[in-house]
Amino acid sequence: KTQKETILVVEDNPSMSDMIAFLLREEGYRVLVTSNGTSALSLLEEVKPELIISDVMMPGMDGFAFCERVRAQLGFSQIPFIFLTARSHRADVRKGMRLGADDYLTKPFEAEELLSAVQVRLARASEAKAAIDRVSADLQKKVIQALTHEFRTPLALVVGYTELLESTGQQLSESELQTILQGLHSGSSRLTVLVEDFLLLSRLRTGDIAREVRQNPHQTIEADKIVQRVVADAEDKAAARHIEFVIDTGCAQVTVGVDPRGLAEITRRLVDNAIKFSKSEGGRIEVTTHSESDSWILQVVDEGVGIRQDALKWIFEAFQQVDRDKMEQQGSGVGLTIVRGLAEVYGGRVTAESSPGQGSTFTVWLPIPESENHGL
């Protein structure tokens, strides 16, 4: 028979382990046998089985402790784990499942029962792995596309203008030199933004920013002032596209416990998105704030191209971009991911509503500190 998956059997009763190993080998599986949890953990340092079958009552490290140790190891957390034991009390079954076991068979058992459980668990694990691989491949493709597209243009600017300077620098007029310097500045600035975005996303993903917030609680700030400053900074960009800003910040006395740079980052990205996805010329963007119960609320409403309803489900995921092939210059696809990550770090949340062709509304809720809430 063609040898199939590797199965680790952890059983201290030699007769029982021999029988289990015989049944599995007859089905073509490669079987490794050990007598307790401690020796099984040592074996896992050398081989990674596709499935584990373990007794519960064993000398030294019992099956529950062994399962817990296996599930705590990142590379082994998804391996199917079947308990095979004489302990059939419901409390034992619940404990096993709580520790991450996939199945719980009691002795004495029928051969077909064991083989069926093994086949089912291996099949489900295979399906799960295939699904993860598909998602991973799709994400990898999106990441490569985003990085290739976003880095290629500014790099081309920098490299192209640098080569031009090297070859004809002394022959350039003042105006030509100024054009080249502007191109170099534009390309290097865009590269700087891209690198900073990915570094910020990385710090959010690794939990570095969340740890900083926990360790160094920020003083309360007047959120409306941050919003007003960000909108003022964006007015020239909006005016260049004949977009009107309508701002209504109605929470002048409300403060939130957020790093001012974090709130500015959230607001700036939402405002930039509203400008970027507004229709070709004209329209307006509404930026409003208000408070409800224990939350300060920021809303950014545009009259832009809008977002498909199905895309709203994943719009905040990294490297996910709507109709990238139809709308160039979208960015790296991490802006809204950063907005959500920052909002959640501060105990808030963000939502999106949209109608294709009519525009989008992004709403951010941030908690008002309890002491401030009592004073409202």
Side-chain angles (χ1 to χ4, degrees), residues 198-334:
F198 290 122
L199 288 175
L200 180 54
L201 179 63
S202 176
R203 292 182 65 219
L204 284 167
R205 288 287 176 86
T206 59
D208 286 349
I209 294 180
R211 281 189 291 272
E212 290 177 6
V213 170
R214 288 195 301 270
Q215 295 168 3
N216 304 295
H218 299 290
Q219 295 181 344
T220 56
I221 61 170
E222 294 183 18
D224 280 15
K225 289 185 177 180
I226 302 294
V227 173
Q228 291 164 2
R229 188 175 73 240
V230 170
V231 172
D233 290 343
E235 283 181 346
D236 288 345
K237 186 186 294 186
R241 299 192 61 191
H242 307 289
I243 296 169
E244 175 191 4
F245 267 126
V246 178
I247 182 168
D248 180 10
T249 49
C251 301
Q253 304 304 314
V254 176
T255 60
V256 294
V258 175
D259 180 349
R261 293 172 300 177
L263 179 56
E265 193 75 35
I266 290 171
T267 308
R268 180 183 66 79
R269 289 179 183 277
L270 292 180
V271 168
D272 282 351
N273 253 22
I275 294 173
K276 184 189 302 182
F277 293 105
S278 287
K279 294 173 184 176
S280 57
E281 294 291 337
R284 69 178 189 171
I285 296 171
E286 296 181 7
V287 181
T288 64
T289 66
H290 64 281
S291 61
E292 290 181 6
S293 182
D294 58 354
S295 296
W296 173 84
I297 300 169
L298 165 69
Q299 277 196 325
V300 179
V301 183
D302 66 61
E303 298 176 343
V305 296
I307 304 167
R308 304 192 316 266
Q309 291 303 303
D310 64 300
L312 289 174
K313 299 175 183 177
W314 44 256
I315 195 68
F316 292 101
E317 298 298 324
F319 306 109
Q320 299 282 3
Q321 296 174 311
V322 182
D323 298 328
R324 168 103 214 191
D325 56 333
K326 299 178 183 178
M327 293 181 288
E328 290 299 317
Q329 304 300 326
Q330 288 200 57
S332 59
V334 302

Side-chain angles (χ1 to χ4, degrees), residues 56-57 64 83 85-98 104-107:
V56 171
M57 299 176 65
F64 289 143
F83 276 126
T85 178
R87 297 176 62 167
S88 58
H89 297 299
R90 289 185 179 180
D92 292 325
V93 175
R94 286 196 297 270
K95 182 176 181 180
M97 295 305 183
R98 188 170 63 251
Y104 199 108
L105 304 181
T106 58
K107 303 173 184 176

